mmCIF file of all heavy atoms in Angstrom:
data_model
loop_
_atom_site.group_PDB
_atom_site.id
_atom_site.type_symbol
_atom_site.label_atom_id
_atom_site.label_comp_id
_atom_site.label_asym_id
_atom_site.label_seq_id
_atom_site.Cartn_x
_atom_site.Cartn_y
_atom_site.Cartn_z
ATOM 1 N N PRO A 149 -8.547 -0.457 15.195
ATOM 2 C CA PRO A 149 -8.546 0.777 15.987
ATOM 3 C C PRO A 149 -7.536 0.657 17.132
ATOM 4 O O PRO A 149 -7.402 -0.409 17.728
ATOM 5 C CB PRO A 149 -9.965 0.854 16.550
ATOM 6 C CG PRO A 149 -10.759 -0.191 15.840
ATOM 7 C CD PRO A 149 -9.803 -1.212 15.346
ATOM 8 N N VAL A 150 -6.842 1.748 17.406
ATOM 9 C CA VAL A 150 -5.869 1.776 18.510
ATOM 10 C C VAL A 150 -6.258 2.944 19.429
ATOM 11 O O VAL A 150 -5.969 4.106 19.119
ATOM 12 C CB VAL A 150 -4.435 1.978 17.974
ATOM 13 C CG1 VAL A 150 -3.437 1.968 19.137
ATOM 14 C CG2 VAL A 150 -4.071 0.913 16.945
ATOM 15 N N PRO A 151 -6.940 2.661 20.550
ATOM 16 C CA PRO A 151 -7.339 3.745 21.447
ATOM 17 C C PRO A 151 -6.113 4.441 22.053
ATOM 18 O O PRO A 151 -5.162 3.777 22.469
ATOM 19 C CB PRO A 151 -8.136 3.029 22.550
ATOM 20 C CG PRO A 151 -8.521 1.705 21.965
ATOM 21 C CD PRO A 151 -7.413 1.355 21.020
ATOM 22 N N VAL A 152 -6.140 5.782 22.064
ATOM 23 C CA VAL A 152 -5.063 6.563 22.702
ATOM 24 C C VAL A 152 -5.712 7.707 23.467
ATOM 25 O O VAL A 152 -6.855 8.087 23.191
ATOM 26 C CB VAL A 152 -4.060 7.147 21.661
ATOM 27 C CG1 VAL A 152 -3.292 6.035 20.964
ATOM 28 C CG2 VAL A 152 -4.751 8.041 20.640
ATOM 29 N N MET A 153 -4.999 8.264 24.437
ATOM 30 C CA MET A 153 -5.522 9.397 25.194
ATOM 31 C C MET A 153 -5.077 10.702 24.529
ATOM 32 O O MET A 153 -3.920 10.858 24.140
ATOM 33 C CB MET A 153 -5.018 9.365 26.634
ATOM 34 C CG MET A 153 -5.513 8.164 27.446
ATOM 35 S SD MET A 153 -7.302 7.840 27.337
ATOM 36 C CE MET A 153 -7.950 9.299 28.178
ATOM 37 N N HIS A 154 -6.037 11.633 24.391
ATOM 38 C CA HIS A 154 -5.793 12.977 23.856
ATOM 39 C C HIS A 154 -6.239 13.907 24.977
ATOM 40 O O HIS A 154 -7.397 14.290 25.046
ATOM 41 C CB HIS A 154 -6.629 13.137 22.587
ATOM 42 C CG HIS A 154 -6.511 14.461 21.881
ATOM 43 N ND1 HIS A 154 -5.417 15.299 21.995
ATOM 44 C CD2 HIS A 154 -7.360 15.087 21.005
ATOM 45 C CE1 HIS A 154 -5.612 16.372 21.231
ATOM 46 N NE2 HIS A 154 -6.781 16.274 20.637
ATOM 47 N N GLY A 155 -5.306 14.194 25.934
ATOM 48 C CA GLY A 155 -5.737 14.849 27.169
ATOM 49 C C GLY A 155 -6.649 13.889 27.912
ATOM 50 O O GLY A 155 -6.324 12.728 28.095
ATOM 51 N N LYS A 156 -7.838 14.361 28.287
ATOM 52 C CA LYS A 156 -8.735 13.489 29.044
ATOM 53 C C LYS A 156 -9.679 12.674 28.146
ATOM 54 O O LYS A 156 -10.497 11.905 28.640
ATOM 55 C CB LYS A 156 -9.513 14.289 30.085
ATOM 56 C CG LYS A 156 -10.386 15.397 29.546
ATOM 57 C CD LYS A 156 -11.100 16.090 30.717
ATOM 58 C CE LYS A 156 -12.273 16.900 30.279
ATOM 59 N NZ LYS A 156 -12.136 18.248 29.953
ATOM 60 N N TYR A 157 -9.585 12.842 26.829
ATOM 61 C CA TYR A 157 -10.457 12.110 25.916
ATOM 62 C C TYR A 157 -9.770 10.883 25.347
ATOM 63 O O TYR A 157 -8.599 10.950 24.951
ATOM 64 C CB TYR A 157 -10.894 12.999 24.748
ATOM 65 C CG TYR A 157 -11.685 14.198 25.193
ATOM 66 C CD1 TYR A 157 -11.119 15.466 25.202
ATOM 67 C CD2 TYR A 157 -13.004 14.048 25.638
ATOM 68 C CE1 TYR A 157 -11.837 16.569 25.634
ATOM 69 C CE2 TYR A 157 -13.736 15.146 26.069
ATOM 70 C CZ TYR A 157 -13.145 16.402 26.067
ATOM 71 O OH TYR A 157 -13.862 17.484 26.499
ATOM 72 N N GLU A 158 -10.535 9.785 25.254
ATOM 73 C CA GLU A 158 -10.004 8.623 24.531
ATOM 74 C C GLU A 158 -10.437 8.744 23.074
ATOM 75 O O GLU A 158 -11.623 8.833 22.769
ATOM 76 C CB GLU A 158 -10.530 7.315 25.129
ATOM 77 C CG GLU A 158 -9.843 6.117 24.498
ATOM 78 C CD GLU A 158 -10.302 4.788 25.097
ATOM 79 O OE1 GLU A 158 -9.751 4.383 26.130
ATOM 80 O OE2 GLU A 158 -11.217 4.179 24.523
ATOM 81 N N ILE A 159 -9.459 8.785 22.187
ATOM 82 C CA ILE A 159 -9.738 8.894 20.758
ATOM 83 C C ILE A 159 -9.113 7.666 20.074
ATOM 84 O O ILE A 159 -8.580 6.783 20.750
ATOM 85 C CB ILE A 159 -9.186 10.214 20.159
ATOM 86 C CG1 ILE A 159 -7.655 10.219 20.161
ATOM 87 C CG2 ILE A 159 -9.712 11.419 20.940
ATOM 88 C CD1 ILE A 159 -7.049 11.247 19.219
ATOM 89 N N LEU A 160 -9.164 7.602 18.735
ATOM 90 C CA LEU A 160 -8.594 6.434 18.055
ATOM 91 C C LEU A 160 -7.431 6.793 17.152
ATOM 92 O O LEU A 160 -7.467 7.803 16.438
ATOM 93 C CB LEU A 160 -9.655 5.730 17.198
ATOM 94 C CG LEU A 160 -10.781 5.008 17.931
ATOM 95 C CD1 LEU A 160 -11.681 4.295 16.929
ATOM 96 C CD2 LEU A 160 -10.250 4.010 18.962
ATOM 97 N N GLY A 161 -6.397 5.938 17.216
ATOM 98 C CA GLY A 161 -5.440 5.833 16.134
ATOM 99 C C GLY A 161 -5.861 4.602 15.339
ATOM 100 O O GLY A 161 -6.785 3.882 15.739
ATOM 101 N N TYR A 162 -5.207 4.334 14.208
ATOM 102 C CA TYR A 162 -5.565 3.186 13.379
ATOM 103 C C TYR A 162 -4.326 2.464 12.896
ATOM 104 O O TYR A 162 -3.323 3.115 12.551
ATOM 105 C CB TYR A 162 -6.392 3.636 12.168
ATOM 106 C CG TYR A 162 -7.765 4.132 12.552
ATOM 107 C CD1 TYR A 162 -7.998 5.490 12.726
ATOM 108 C CD2 TYR A 162 -8.815 3.241 12.766
ATOM 109 C CE1 TYR A 162 -9.260 5.959 13.098
ATOM 110 C CE2 TYR A 162 -10.074 3.693 13.140
ATOM 111 C CZ TYR A 162 -10.291 5.050 13.299
ATOM 112 O OH TYR A 162 -11.528 5.508 13.672
ATOM 113 N N ARG A 163 -4.431 1.137 12.854
ATOM 114 C CA ARG A 163 -3.375 0.324 12.258
ATOM 115 C C ARG A 163 -3.928 -0.366 11.015
ATOM 116 O O ARG A 163 -4.998 -0.973 11.058
ATOM 117 C CB ARG A 163 -2.899 -0.741 13.251
ATOM 118 C CG ARG A 163 -1.861 -1.668 12.627
ATOM 119 C CD ARG A 163 -1.291 -2.658 13.622
ATOM 120 N NE ARG A 163 -0.243 -3.431 12.989
ATOM 121 C CZ ARG A 163 0.754 -4.004 13.644
ATOM 122 N NH1 ARG A 163 0.827 -3.918 14.960
ATOM 123 N NH2 ARG A 163 1.681 -4.678 12.993
ATOM 124 N N ILE A 164 -3.187 -0.243 9.911
ATOM 125 C CA ILE A 164 -3.522 -0.942 8.673
ATOM 126 C C ILE A 164 -2.267 -1.696 8.259
ATOM 127 O O ILE A 164 -1.234 -1.062 7.972
ATOM 128 C CB ILE A 164 -3.933 0.042 7.552
ATOM 129 C CG1 ILE A 164 -5.101 0.919 8.018
ATOM 130 C CG2 ILE A 164 -4.281 -0.717 6.282
ATOM 131 C CD1 ILE A 164 -5.436 2.052 7.050
ATOM 132 N N GLY A 165 -2.329 -3.010 8.245
ATOM 133 C CA GLY A 165 -1.126 -3.799 7.960
ATOM 134 C C GLY A 165 -0.050 -3.449 8.974
ATOM 135 O O GLY A 165 -0.303 -3.414 10.178
ATOM 136 N N ASN A 166 1.150 -3.119 8.490
ATOM 137 C CA ASN A 166 2.243 -2.772 9.408
ATOM 138 C C ASN A 166 2.482 -1.274 9.510
ATOM 139 O O ASN A 166 3.582 -0.824 9.806
ATOM 140 C CB ASN A 166 3.538 -3.488 8.991
ATOM 141 C CG ASN A 166 3.477 -4.953 9.388
ATOM 142 O OD1 ASN A 166 2.716 -5.336 10.276
ATOM 143 N ND2 ASN A 166 4.255 -5.779 8.709
ATOM 144 N N MET A 167 1.410 -0.493 9.237
ATOM 145 C CA MET A 167 1.474 0.967 9.362
ATOM 146 C C MET A 167 0.463 1.402 10.416
ATOM 147 O O MET A 167 -0.650 0.864 10.460
ATOM 148 C CB MET A 167 1.143 1.614 8.007
ATOM 149 C CG MET A 167 1.257 3.124 7.936
ATOM 150 S SD MET A 167 -0.110 4.082 8.644
ATOM 151 C CE MET A 167 -1.471 3.625 7.568
ATOM 152 N N ALA A 168 0.843 2.345 11.269
ATOM 153 C CA ALA A 168 -0.133 2.899 12.213
ATOM 154 C C ALA A 168 -0.053 4.416 12.213
ATOM 155 O O ALA A 168 1.028 4.993 12.036
ATOM 156 C CB ALA A 168 0.100 2.369 13.622
ATOM 157 N N TYR A 169 -1.222 5.041 12.391
ATOM 158 C CA TYR A 169 -1.344 6.512 12.400
ATOM 159 C C TYR A 169 -1.888 6.939 13.756
ATOM 160 O O TYR A 169 -3.015 6.597 14.110
ATOM 161 C CB TYR A 169 -2.300 6.935 11.285
ATOM 162 C CG TYR A 169 -2.479 8.438 11.128
ATOM 163 C CD1 TYR A 169 -1.468 9.215 10.596
ATOM 164 C CD2 TYR A 169 -3.669 9.064 11.476
ATOM 165 C CE1 TYR A 169 -1.630 10.589 10.431
ATOM 166 C CE2 TYR A 169 -3.847 10.435 11.306
ATOM 167 C CZ TYR A 169 -2.820 11.194 10.788
ATOM 168 O OH TYR A 169 -2.980 12.546 10.604
ATOM 169 N N LEU A 170 -1.074 7.642 14.534
ATOM 170 C CA LEU A 170 -1.480 8.101 15.865
ATOM 171 C C LEU A 170 -1.288 9.605 15.946
ATOM 172 O O LEU A 170 -0.176 10.092 16.166
ATOM 173 C CB LEU A 170 -0.626 7.444 16.961
ATOM 174 C CG LEU A 170 -0.532 5.910 17.031
ATOM 175 C CD1 LEU A 170 0.341 5.504 18.226
ATOM 176 C CD2 LEU A 170 -1.899 5.268 17.146
#
Side-chain angles (χ1 to χ4, degrees):
V150 181
V152 294
M153 295 312 293
H154 180 24
K156 60 180 197 269
Y157 298 105
E158 187 178 275
I159 68 162
L160 291 184
Y162 291 96
R163 176 175 184 154
I164 304 172
N166 284 338
M167 184 281 295
Y169 183 72
L170 305 182

